[in-house]
Amino acid sequence: MIRPILHNKSSISQLCEKYHVSRLEVFGSAARGEFDPSQSDIDFLVKFTDEGIKHYADCYFGLLEALQ
């Protein structure tokens, strides 16, 4: 796992709880081990809980802003 995720694992977990995320996965360069902090971003695949789906826009955009 890449350093930015490892160093923020607890915070990311709290964000997932706050924004009703049931599953968060990394894909792209970070998952392939080709992550370059000067050029790459971190790509996430997100699955929301039923509660998150009810408030999808708030959860999605809240999580997006918090992760940035």
Side-chain angles (χ1 to χ4, degrees), residues 12 17 21 27 33 35-36 40 46 49 63 65 67:
I12 292 169
E17 246 181 83
V21 174
F27 68 98
F35 183 77
D36 177 356
S40 302
V46 181
T49 64
L63 179 64
E65 184 177 330
L67 287 173

Side-chain angles (χ1 to χ4, degrees), residues 11-59:
S11 297
I12 292 169
S13 179
Q14 289 173 358
L15 289 174
C16 287
E17 246 181 83
K18 179 178 181 178
Y19 293 108
H20 306 283
V21 174
S22 63
R23 188 175 183 145
L24 185 72
E25 294 188 31
V26 177
F27 68 98
S29 63
R32 292 189 307 268
E34 300 168 1
F35 183 77
D36 177 356
S38 67
Q39 296 180 351
S40 302
D41 60 359
I42 302 172
D43 301 304
F44 290 106
L45 177 64
V46 181
K47 180 179 180 184
F48 292 98
T49 64
D50 289 341
E51 186 63 29
I53 293 297
K54 290 178 189 174
H55 306 283
Y56 178 76
D58 292 334
C59 291

